[in-house]
mmCIF file of all heavy atoms in Angstrom:
data_model
loop_
_atom_site.group_PDB
_atom_site.id
_atom_site.type_symbol
_atom_site.label_atom_id
_atom_site.label_comp_id
_atom_site.label_asym_id
_atom_site.label_seq_id
_atom_site.Cartn_x
_atom_site.Cartn_y
_atom_site.Cartn_z
ATOM 1 N N THR R 669 -7.284 282.948 56.570
ATOM 2 C CA THR R 669 -7.822 283.610 57.768
ATOM 3 C C THR R 669 -9.160 284.146 57.495
ATOM 4 O O THR R 669 -9.695 284.955 58.285
ATOM 5 C CB THR R 669 -6.875 284.797 58.144
ATOM 6 O OG1 THR R 669 -6.681 285.616 56.975
ATOM 7 C CG2 THR R 669 -5.465 284.271 58.523
ATOM 8 N N GLY R 670 -9.886 283.679 56.427
ATOM 9 C CA GLY R 670 -11.200 284.147 56.127
ATOM 10 C C GLY R 670 -11.346 284.476 54.659
ATOM 11 O O GLY R 670 -10.406 284.796 53.949
ATOM 12 N N PHE R 671 -12.588 284.425 54.213
ATOM 13 C CA PHE R 671 -12.883 284.709 52.749
ATOM 14 C C PHE R 671 -12.356 286.137 52.379
ATOM 15 O O PHE R 671 -12.612 287.082 53.061
ATOM 16 C CB PHE R 671 -14.411 284.622 52.475
ATOM 17 C CG PHE R 671 -14.884 283.222 52.320
ATOM 18 C CD1 PHE R 671 -15.604 282.623 53.261
ATOM 19 C CD2 PHE R 671 -14.570 282.518 51.132
ATOM 20 C CE1 PHE R 671 -16.144 281.338 53.100
ATOM 21 C CE2 PHE R 671 -15.072 281.251 50.944
ATOM 22 C CZ PHE R 671 -15.778 280.613 51.939
ATOM 23 N N PHE R 672 -11.615 286.158 51.274
ATOM 24 C CA PHE R 672 -11.121 287.343 50.652
ATOM 25 C C PHE R 672 -10.084 288.096 51.570
ATOM 26 O O PHE R 672 -9.730 289.269 51.230
ATOM 27 C CB PHE R 672 -12.303 288.298 50.266
ATOM 28 C CG PHE R 672 -13.111 287.778 49.173
ATOM 29 C CD1 PHE R 672 -14.313 287.124 49.481
ATOM 30 C CD2 PHE R 672 -12.746 287.931 47.847
ATOM 31 C CE1 PHE R 672 -15.169 286.627 48.518
ATOM 32 C CE2 PHE R 672 -13.546 287.382 46.868
ATOM 33 C CZ PHE R 672 -14.722 286.705 47.141
ATOM 34 N N GLY R 673 -9.645 287.505 52.609
ATOM 35 C CA GLY R 673 -8.565 288.060 53.416
ATOM 36 C C GLY R 673 -7.315 287.922 52.684
ATOM 37 O O GLY R 673 -7.109 287.324 51.641
ATOM 38 N N GLU R 674 -6.204 288.490 53.299
ATOM 39 C CA GLU R 674 -4.928 288.544 52.658
ATOM 40 C C GLU R 674 -4.424 287.104 52.310
ATOM 41 O O GLU R 674 -3.919 286.852 51.217
ATOM 42 C CB GLU R 674 -3.910 289.244 53.520
ATOM 43 C CG GLU R 674 -2.560 289.412 52.844
ATOM 44 C CD GLU R 674 -1.551 290.219 53.699
ATOM 45 O OE1 GLU R 674 -1.458 290.027 54.911
ATOM 46 O OE2 GLU R 674 -0.877 291.034 53.129
ATOM 47 N N VAL R 675 -4.545 286.195 53.328
ATOM 48 C CA VAL R 675 -4.096 284.840 53.090
ATOM 49 C C VAL R 675 -4.912 284.111 52.026
ATOM 50 O O VAL R 675 -4.332 283.436 51.161
ATOM 51 C CB VAL R 675 -4.166 284.014 54.385
ATOM 52 C CG1 VAL R 675 -3.703 282.624 54.169
ATOM 53 C CG2 VAL R 675 -3.288 284.717 55.484
ATOM 54 N N HIS R 676 -6.213 284.403 51.968
ATOM 55 C CA HIS R 676 -7.056 283.813 50.926
ATOM 56 C C HIS R 676 -6.635 284.300 49.549
ATOM 57 O O HIS R 676 -6.472 283.548 48.608
ATOM 58 C CB HIS R 676 -8.505 284.137 51.210
ATOM 59 C CG HIS R 676 -9.415 283.509 50.302
ATOM 60 N ND1 HIS R 676 -10.756 283.918 50.038
ATOM 61 C CD2 HIS R 676 -9.295 282.398 49.407
ATOM 62 C CE1 HIS R 676 -11.313 283.154 49.121
ATOM 63 N NE2 HIS R 676 -10.485 282.253 48.677
ATOM 64 N N VAL R 677 -6.510 285.602 49.408
ATOM 65 C CA VAL R 677 -6.169 286.222 48.190
ATOM 66 C C VAL R 677 -4.808 285.687 47.661
ATOM 67 O O VAL R 677 -4.668 285.342 46.439
ATOM 68 C CB VAL R 677 -6.256 287.702 48.240
ATOM 69 C CG1 VAL R 677 -5.631 288.362 46.999
ATOM 70 C CG2 VAL R 677 -7.622 288.236 48.536
ATOM 71 N N ARG R 678 -3.832 285.673 48.547
ATOM 72 C CA ARG R 678 -2.462 285.234 48.069
ATOM 73 C C ARG R 678 -2.491 283.789 47.789
ATOM 74 O O ARG R 678 -1.835 283.312 46.829
ATOM 75 C CB ARG R 678 -1.454 285.574 49.144
ATOM 76 C CG ARG R 678 -1.108 284.561 50.162
ATOM 77 C CD ARG R 678 0.171 284.807 50.899
ATOM 78 N NE ARG R 678 0.186 286.027 51.619
ATOM 79 C CZ ARG R 678 0.104 286.135 52.964
ATOM 80 N NH1 ARG R 678 0.069 285.021 53.693
ATOM 81 N NH2 ARG R 678 0.185 287.260 53.539
ATOM 82 N N SER R 679 -3.337 282.940 48.471
ATOM 83 C CA SER R 679 -3.335 281.529 48.183
ATOM 84 C C SER R 679 -4.039 281.270 46.882
ATOM 85 O O SER R 679 -3.582 280.374 46.134
ATOM 86 C CB SER R 679 -4.088 280.820 49.306
ATOM 87 O OG SER R 679 -3.381 281.076 50.629
ATOM 88 N N GLU R 680 -5.046 281.971 46.574
ATOM 89 C CA GLU R 680 -5.717 281.770 45.336
ATOM 90 C C GLU R 680 -4.818 282.199 44.215
ATOM 91 O O GLU R 680 -4.842 281.570 43.120
ATOM 92 C CB GLU R 680 -7.004 282.570 45.207
ATOM 93 C CG GLU R 680 -8.133 282.111 46.203
ATOM 94 C CD GLU R 680 -8.802 280.818 45.696
ATOM 95 O OE1 GLU R 680 -8.410 280.284 44.637
ATOM 96 O OE2 GLU R 680 -9.752 280.392 46.419
ATOM 97 N N ALA R 681 -4.023 283.260 44.323
ATOM 98 C CA ALA R 681 -3.095 283.620 43.313
ATOM 99 C C ALA R 681 -2.020 282.582 43.187
ATOM 100 O O ALA R 681 -1.609 282.324 42.004
ATOM 101 C CB ALA R 681 -2.449 284.954 43.731
ATOM 102 N N PHE R 682 -1.603 281.987 44.270
ATOM 103 C CA PHE R 682 -0.609 280.896 44.218
ATOM 104 C C PHE R 682 -1.126 279.678 43.467
ATOM 105 O O PHE R 682 -0.498 279.143 42.565
ATOM 106 C CB PHE R 682 -0.174 280.531 45.635
ATOM 107 C CG PHE R 682 0.606 279.194 45.676
ATOM 108 C CD1 PHE R 682 1.952 279.193 45.319
ATOM 109 C CD2 PHE R 682 0.031 277.984 46.015
ATOM 110 C CE1 PHE R 682 2.699 277.952 45.270
ATOM 111 C CE2 PHE R 682 0.709 276.766 45.972
ATOM 112 C CZ PHE R 682 2.044 276.798 45.598
ATOM 113 N N VAL R 683 -2.360 279.303 43.849
ATOM 114 C CA VAL R 683 -2.960 278.064 43.124
ATOM 115 C C VAL R 683 -2.999 278.309 41.659
ATOM 116 O O VAL R 683 -2.767 277.444 40.825
ATOM 117 C CB VAL R 683 -4.374 277.843 43.804
ATOM 118 C CG1 VAL R 683 -5.170 276.881 42.890
ATOM 119 C CG2 VAL R 683 -4.235 277.337 45.185
ATOM 120 N N ASP R 684 -3.355 279.525 41.248
ATOM 121 C CA ASP R 684 -3.515 279.855 39.828
ATOM 122 C C ASP R 684 -2.126 279.838 39.193
ATOM 123 O O ASP R 684 -1.959 279.242 38.126
ATOM 124 C CB ASP R 684 -4.124 281.295 39.718
ATOM 125 C CG ASP R 684 -4.348 281.623 38.233
ATOM 126 O OD1 ASP R 684 -5.134 280.960 37.575
ATOM 127 O OD2 ASP R 684 -3.729 282.653 37.826
ATOM 128 N N THR R 685 -1.114 280.367 39.870
ATOM 129 C CA THR R 685 0.219 280.388 39.333
ATOM 130 C C THR R 685 0.796 279.014 39.218
ATOM 131 O O THR R 685 1.490 278.615 38.199
ATOM 132 C CB THR R 685 1.148 281.238 40.206
ATOM 133 O OG1 THR R 685 0.654 282.614 40.326
ATOM 134 C CG2 THR R 685 2.563 281.332 39.605
ATOM 135 N N ALA R 686 0.527 278.198 40.260
ATOM 136 C CA ALA R 686 1.096 276.768 40.226
ATOM 137 C C ALA R 686 0.340 275.837 39.351
ATOM 138 O O ALA R 686 0.804 274.760 39.019
ATOM 139 C CB ALA R 686 1.017 276.206 41.665
ATOM 140 N N GLY R 687 -0.840 276.211 38.829
ATOM 141 C CA GLY R 687 -1.681 275.362 37.987
ATOM 142 C C GLY R 687 -2.226 274.168 38.659
ATOM 143 O O GLY R 687 -2.260 273.070 38.055
ATOM 144 N N ILE R 688 -2.586 274.347 39.918
ATOM 145 C CA ILE R 688 -3.213 273.191 40.631
ATOM 146 C C ILE R 688 -4.565 273.596 41.039
ATOM 147 O O ILE R 688 -5.045 274.714 41.063
ATOM 148 C CB ILE R 688 -2.412 272.864 41.939
ATOM 149 C CG1 ILE R 688 -2.376 274.099 42.899
ATOM 150 C CG2 ILE R 688 -0.995 272.455 41.522
ATOM 151 C CD1 ILE R 688 -1.659 273.870 44.180
ATOM 152 N N ASP R 689 -5.374 272.613 41.521
ATOM 153 C CA ASP R 689 -6.680 272.810 42.086
ATOM 154 C C ASP R 689 -6.638 272.274 43.531
ATOM 155 O O ASP R 689 -6.225 271.107 43.825
ATOM 156 C CB ASP R 689 -7.800 272.073 41.253
ATOM 157 C CG ASP R 689 -8.053 272.612 39.935
ATOM 158 O OD1 ASP R 689 -8.032 273.845 39.834
ATOM 159 O OD2 ASP R 689 -8.122 271.778 38.993
ATOM 160 N N ALA R 690 -6.985 273.214 44.456
ATOM 161 C CA ALA R 690 -7.063 272.786 45.879
ATOM 162 C C ALA R 690 -8.255 273.504 46.522
ATOM 163 O O ALA R 690 -8.711 274.537 46.037
ATOM 164 C CB ALA R 690 -5.737 273.229 46.588
ATOM 165 N N ARG R 691 -8.781 272.886 47.577
ATOM 166 C CA ARG R 691 -9.977 273.421 48.231
ATOM 167 C C ARG R 691 -9.604 274.396 49.358
ATOM 168 O O ARG R 691 -8.695 274.147 50.179
ATOM 169 C CB ARG R 691 -10.802 272.222 48.819
ATOM 170 C CG ARG R 691 -11.456 271.445 47.756
ATOM 171 C CD ARG R 691 -12.338 270.329 48.364
ATOM 172 N NE ARG R 691 -11.549 269.280 48.942
ATOM 173 C CZ ARG R 691 -11.638 269.011 50.231
ATOM 174 N NH1 ARG R 691 -12.436 269.690 51.086
ATOM 175 N NH2 ARG R 691 -10.850 268.023 50.783
ATOM 176 N N HIS R 692 -10.290 275.483 49.397
ATOM 177 C CA HIS R 692 -10.158 276.505 50.309
ATOM 178 C C HIS R 692 -10.953 276.237 51.596
ATOM 179 O O HIS R 692 -12.127 275.969 51.634
ATOM 180 C CB HIS R 692 -10.557 277.829 49.753
ATOM 181 C CG HIS R 692 -10.578 278.990 50.720
ATOM 182 N ND1 HIS R 692 -11.620 279.909 50.767
ATOM 183 C CD2 HIS R 692 -9.735 279.399 51.767
ATOM 184 C CE1 HIS R 692 -11.412 280.815 51.737
ATOM 185 N NE2 HIS R 692 -10.257 280.464 52.365
#
């Protein structure tokens, strides 16, 4: 929903936890 918003922050945390690389 935008840079550094709740969805962005949680998604980056997920990507890190899952050990994957994906584009925002």
Side-chain angles (χ1 to χ4, degrees):
T669 54
F671 280 106
F672 293 97
E674 185 177 44
V675 179
H676 183 201
V677 170
R678 93 162 60 107
S679 300
E680 292 285 2
F682 167 79
V683 165
D684 184 63
T685 302
I688 62 174
D689 291 317
R691 290 183 290 117
H692 171 223

